[in-house]
Amino acid sequence: MNDLKRLLEGEAVRPLIGGASLALDDGDYARFLGYCDDPFNYRIRVWSPDLKKDMTWLEHDREGLIELFKSLPEHLQRQGRLHRQVTVATVEASNVDGFLVVTSPFVVHHTNLEGQTHTLAVGRYIDIVNMTDEKIVLTARDVMLDTRDLGIGLHVPI
Amino acid sequence: MSARSKSSWETAPRLPAGHFVSGLVYTDPDVYQDEIDNIFSKTWRFACHESELLEPFDYRVIDHAGQSLICIRGDDGEVRAFLNVCSHRGGKLLTEPSGNARLITCFYHRWTYDSLGACTGIPRPSGYSKEVAKDTMGLRGLRTTVKHGLVFISLDEGAPDLDAFIGASLDQFSEMLGSTPLEVFHYNRAVLNCNWKAWHETNMDLYHEFMHVVLRQTQVSAMPMEDRRLITFQNGHGGSGGDLKAAYDGYEGFAGRGGDVPPLPGTDPTDFRFVDLFPSTAIIARGTVIRIDTATPLGPDKTLLEMRGLGVKGEPQEHRQARQRHHNQYWGPFGRNVPEDMIAAEACADSFRNQAGRYQIIARDENLTGQDDAILRAFYKEWGERTGRDPGNPIEPADPVSDQVRA
């Protein structure tokens, strides 16, 4: 029974993670936020072998993300397009009823304006997903980055 | 008004010497080698913060002037630096970027060294003549000085002391860096496709505030330009000569910045101060948080950039989180400003790479106020003295007479 439940949850989660990734690829941040709960917390974390510490490179609540997205057209940004290749690997029940912990390894490719593509980053999304009969949304996303040299960096969530 | 002709474009600007820079300083391989030999091998270089070497035998591995170095704290508390190279066969000794090593052991033939750089072990020493013995086979030691918690190294045994080299340029940071223990909470590296100077110029050039929407909205109008004070020092250093101001309410999302954590010693949350140390280290403080960045040349058009963020050691978690947030608002790979500076450095490199861009103008003269280019000019004056080249014309033009004689 539990296996079947987990299978069904996995099936339900996949379009959420995939849809959120496609929205980010498209730079359609309103659509991305549509996949996110209110409140929502987003964080990029990195382990530093130099400092032997965890670092936080970006952290925003929903309001902070909205403010960031609003400001983007004013910023000088990396040109081209990002492509996130995401695989939902595990879906587990959390300690809180109705919430799932979803782990998804990802690879982000960048295609520049000349059409050249290179790998920009790899890591894992650790998502807390709120799943009820009415909705299925991201409540929190921790991006655990393996890549620590991002070249010129990014203004947008990975 | 019209576009410029080829000859106009390629002719040096009609400006006083020192007020423009040839694009060849960014691209020419001989110029680059001169920089390695006469600047990076001769000056002092910021290596790390001493909080990265907290305990005895803690070490950091640093890239500098094409060489790998070790900074290590001895059990006497002193920080020392060595080339990261075994005396025996040249094996790279430490391969992790940081760690703790009571003994430094070469993986290849198991020669060992201590934190003083002394060779402590040679397996089966009887096979060597007396010239190859522990007491003659220590590591190559480097000059090392710690000032305000900043670890500096020099490859040059004859270089003037660090204090003579940096003069008073760190004075405005002495209270901030020296009166309370600090620690590095952020570190990232990025390899940029540009010359090291193109990066460092983004720190020395205040005029490019206009590129950043954050600075347009928080800094450009925060105080009258004529009230800003800049300063240059001997040996090519420069920085703010008094606190500049930022009005964080001007940028949505930054309002209230500083109310959530005490400012660093000797500052106000809205203060902004910086120093650019020759050749390639910048220290920037924004009231509540400090950034230190160092550019290490990897080639004429490749630069390793290292960035550190510093907060107060042992502070409550909510203070650390606030300081981290303040850091990340501007800096780090996802900051609002730093990626823009990187884009600018690479864009200029693109222009100069094939000599489409010929000259860079550094001629703003505002009597050391506002967005004066004086810090850039001080840098290039020192650069010229050390390389023996004119920044405006770093390659001697061909002599037509001798060319004809040779023909």
Side-chain angles (χ1 to χ4, degrees), chain B residues 25-211:
Chain B
V25 305
Y26 306 105
T27 58
D28 186 84
D30 294 334
V31 170
Y32 175 77
Q33 194 55 50
D34 270 357
E35 292 176 335
I36 298 299
D37 295 343
N38 299 314
I39 295 177
F40 287 93
S41 299
K42 300 285 185 187
T43 53
W44 289 87
R45 190 257 203 203
F46 167 73
C48 62
H49 187 258
E50 68 174 348
S51 66
E52 296 168 66
L53 306 168
L54 217 48
E55 304 295 333
F57 314 118
D58 278 357
Y59 70 83
R60 287 285 274 122
V61 171
I62 308 294
D63 295 315
H64 175 60
Q67 304 183 23
S68 180
L69 319 179
I70 301 166
C71 291
I72 187 166
R73 189 181 290 280
D75 57 0
D76 58 356
E78 290 292 310
V79 175
R80 297 178 179 83
F82 312 100
L83 290 186
N84 188 15
V85 177
C86 182
S87 297
H88 177 214
R89 298 279 282 274
K92 188 173 181 178
L93 293 165
L94 295 172
T95 53
E96 296 275 329
S98 69
N100 185 279
R102 183 177 289 269
L103 274 184
I104 300 168
T105 304
C106 183
F107 68 94
Y108 202 177
H109 301 87
R110 310 296 293 175
W111 284 34
T112 56
Y113 304 89
D114 66 15
S115 61
L116 304 175
C119 180
T120 56
I122 297 178
R124 298 194 62 239
S126 56
Y128 289 115
S129 66
K130 67 179 188 316
E131 284 75 23
V132 182
K134 286 191 289 188
D135 59 354
T136 60
M137 287 288 122
L139 299 177
R140 151 80 154 104
L142 307 176
R143 293 180 69 192
T144 312
T145 301
V146 181
K147 188 175 180 71
H148 303 319
L150 310 178
V151 179
F152 290 87
I153 59 94
S154 176
L155 298 178
D156 183 9
E157 292 174 347
D161 289 345
L162 176 72
D163 280 336
F165 177 63
I166 63 173
S169 55
L170 274 182
D171 286 2
Q172 63 172 319
F173 282 92
S174 57
E175 184 179 358
M176 191 186 294
L177 291 171
S179 65
T180 193
L182 301 177
E183 69 175 345
V184 178
F185 65 78
H186 174 98
Y187 176 87
N188 77 283
R189 296 159 65 107
V191 174
L192 300 183
N193 295 311
C194 68
N195 184 271
W196 63 276
K197 299 186 293 301
W199 171 258
H200 198 50
E201 285 168 7
T202 68
N203 288 319
M204 297 187 285
D205 164 23
L206 281 169
Y207 190 43
H208 89 284
E209 283 171 301
F210 291 122
M211 177 180 74

Side-chain angles (χ1 to χ4, degrees), chain A residues 49-50 53 56 67 75 154, chain B residues 98 184 251-252 328 333 336 340:
Chain A
D50 304 273
K53 286 178 189 169
T56 301
E67 172 273 313
H75 282 279
L154 283 174
Chain B
S98 69
V184 178
Y251 184 85
E252 196 180 340
N328 293 345
R336 309 283 171 104
E340 296 175 338

